[in-house]
Amino acid sequence: MGKSIIIIGAGIAGLSAGCYGQMNGYRTQIFELHDKPGGLCTAWKKGGYTFDGCIHSVGGLNPKFKLYHYWNELIDMKKLKFFYQDTLANVEDENGRIATIFTDPDKLREELISIAPEDAKFIDSFIKAVKKLANFDLMPSKPLELWNPLDYYVSQFRVAPVLNHLMKWRKSVADMTKKFKSPLLKYIMNSEFFSHFPAYFLIFSLGHLHNMNAGYPIGGSLAFSSLLEKRYLDLGGQIHYKAKVAKVNVNNNRAIGITLENDETHDENGIVVSAADGHYTVFEMLGGRYINREIRKLYDDHPIWPSAVIVYLGVSRTFDKEPPVIELALKKALVVDEHSRLNRLPVTIYNFDPTLAPEGKTCIRVILQPADYRYWHDLRNSDRQKYKQDKARIANEVIRVLEQRLGNIEDSLEITDVVTPATFKRYTNNWQGSIQGWEWLPRLIPESMRKELPGLRNFYMVGQWVEPGGGVPTAFISGRNLIQIICKRDKKKFVTKIPAKY
Ligand SMILES: Cc1cc2nc3c(=O)[nH]c(=O)nc-3n(C[C@H](O)[C@H](O)[C@H](O)COP(=O)(O)OP(=O)(O)OC[C@H]3O[C@@H](n4cnc5c(N)ncnc54)[C@H](O)[C@@H]3O)c2cc1C
């Protein structure tokens, strides 16, 4: 029997590490606090509707890119159906003017030039970058931890054709738009979601949506993560649900196993991998004993992807003429909590996934971000009544705005659900209810994040807390990479069916 690996967390990273561990002859077990797989990549049912908790779009759907072949090792990609968006969003300003952010660069150019001919020079160079980066495969062929000097040398040539674009567009979208002549163009490009990220993130997103390398899996996020769970179980892996890990057991600075919250101990003397929240892992499960200045500074200073309040509505009508995503301007700011106010409302109308609602009915999701973790966590603990009232207040406000824009919302409303930062913490244990780990900011990417902790042997971390920017594909690759690293250390050939060119 192979060496044992205990994995903490059945999110995408934990399931990926589990699958590749099994495929490579390790004996793995996953301990998960919730009763379902997927972690943040989830969904739930309420009153006949399935409310999706995660994926707008997931990357790696086009066989021209390495990621597709990696997914395909675990999931039969040809059997899945995806919805490929031809628009990123329809952005509406407060005067009701609409701009469509097409994913097709030529259509986008036409749209933006018609709105802001005075910014044509910028628009043309932006579109040129979208076309160029759309075909660039970012994914290295092996984990950076296993790179040798030759890999670094070769990578310069790989990146060279797009380097000028990566350098030019590394500032944030907000900075990029500062010099625009047209205030309307500035408004359109500065969506709530993309505004403070490096501009190349927006450029890559548009390009990869257009070339069908990114899309939404029909059936939703839980259906998608359940495919990884199934593959893991088929490979002989074991998942223990409702099993919260309280402590990583250490002997002589070597991880040997775990203790659950109910005091059950599993000391297998193999490897321990945390695919769970980073802060909880480092400071609770390991009591903060294995850190250095870099790690301390990371957790003290580096911004994390904020939490959110999300309003879900189940309505007994369809929206055949509406686009999937509308970003609405609010005449009056929506107060989310003491520290968060929003002027724009991103609305997803799930008219593209008939599996989520009964025929003739539709799910709507509105993400209100940022939301203040401390406020919602403390309120839930101290005053459950007020917590519920606050959730209802926000839902009512969202319903009012949607009634004005879409009509016939109140009368067709069947179900409402509201999740808060406290919900994210309870169901996934993510630090401060963060929905994607570390923020991926210009010049703030903590390159030195490592999967190991100083002074501790036999222990690794994977997932969004060791891969800045987070995301479903990143978590998946993080688990895959780790097993490659472990195989290398154990002097085993990593089992993969992927041709060498990938
Ligand atoms: C609203 C929303 C929209 C998103 N949209 C996208 C998108 O469009 N595209 C995209 O790529 N990404 C998206 N993401 C981000 C993406 O979901 C995450 O970055 C990714 O799923 C993180 O995976 P992970 O495995 O690293 O972590 P997690 O999903 O957090 O998994 C960690 C797992 O560990 C478990 N756990 C934690 N502590 C313990 C413990 N002590 N004991 C046992 N188990 C424990 C948790 O319950 C969880 O199952 C979105 C997220 C949200 C919330």
Side-chain angles (χ1 to χ4, degrees), residues 100-146:
T100 305
I101 310 288
F102 291 103
T103 56
D104 177 334
D106 292 325
K107 279 194 185 167
L108 180 61
R109 180 183 180 279
E110 208 178 296
E111 177 80 351
L112 297 182
I113 294 274
S114 75
I115 290 164
E118 62 274 41
D119 286 308
K121 199 169 157 219
F122 162 81
I123 294 168
D124 280 334
S125 77
F126 181 79
I127 296 295
K128 197 170 154 197
V130 174
K131 287 184 176 175
K132 185 80 188 172
L133 293 183
N135 296 312
F136 180 64
D137 195 346
L138 267 176
M139 185 72 60
S141 312
K142 59 178 170 182
L144 291 182
E145 290 89 338
L146 300 183

Side-chain angles (χ1 to χ4, degrees), residues 41-43 50 52 80 217-228 355:
C41 188
T42 196
T50 302
D52 199 279
L80 292 187
I218 297 295
S221 301
L222 181 59
F224 187 75
S225 43
S226 296
L227 294 172
L228 293 181
T355 68

Side-chain angles (χ1 to χ4, degrees), residues 222-287:
L222 181 59
F224 187 75
S225 43
S226 296
L227 294 172
L228 293 181
E229 181 209 40
K230 179 174 183 320
R231 181 66 201 276
Y232 176 64
L233 297 174
D234 287 348
L235 285 161
Q238 245 189 306
I239 310 188
H240 308 265
Y241 285 113
K242 294 189 171 176
K244 184 172 181 183
V245 177
K247 194 176 153 216
V248 172
N249 301 334
V250 175
N251 183 10
N252 205 8
N253 296 325
R254 182 174 177 277
I256 54 164
I258 52 164
T259 302
L260 301 183
E261 222 177 25
N262 64 5
D263 283 338
E264 209 175 281
T265 297
H266 295 261
D267 286 343
E268 300 274 336
N269 244 331
I271 291 169
V272 179
V273 174
S274 175
D277 169 67
H279 191 273
Y280 192 85
T281 300
V282 174
F283 297 100
E284 303 288 333
M285 292 188 215
L286 286 161

Side-chain angles (χ1 to χ4, degrees), residues 47-49 314-319 350-351 353-354 356-363 412 414:
Y49 293 87
V315 289
S316 61
R317 55 162 289 198
T318 54
F319 298 85
Y350 284 89
N351 48 10
D353 188 349
L356 300 188
E359 206 178 332
K361 303 184 179 186
T362 314
C363 296
S412 54
E414 292 193 326

Side-chain angles (χ1 to χ4, degrees), residues 92-103:
E92 303 186 6
D93 80 352
E94 53 186 22
N95 302 313
R97 284 176 299 185
I98 299 174
T100 305
I101 310 288
F102 291 103
T103 56

Side-chain angles (χ1 to χ4, degrees), residues 32 47 91 101 151 169 240 258 321 336 397 425 475 492:
E32 163 58 48
V91 182
I101 310 288
D151 293 314
W169 300 102
H240 308 265
I258 52 164
K321 297 212 172 85
V336 181
E397 189 58 17
K425 174 73 179 162
K492 285 168 67 149

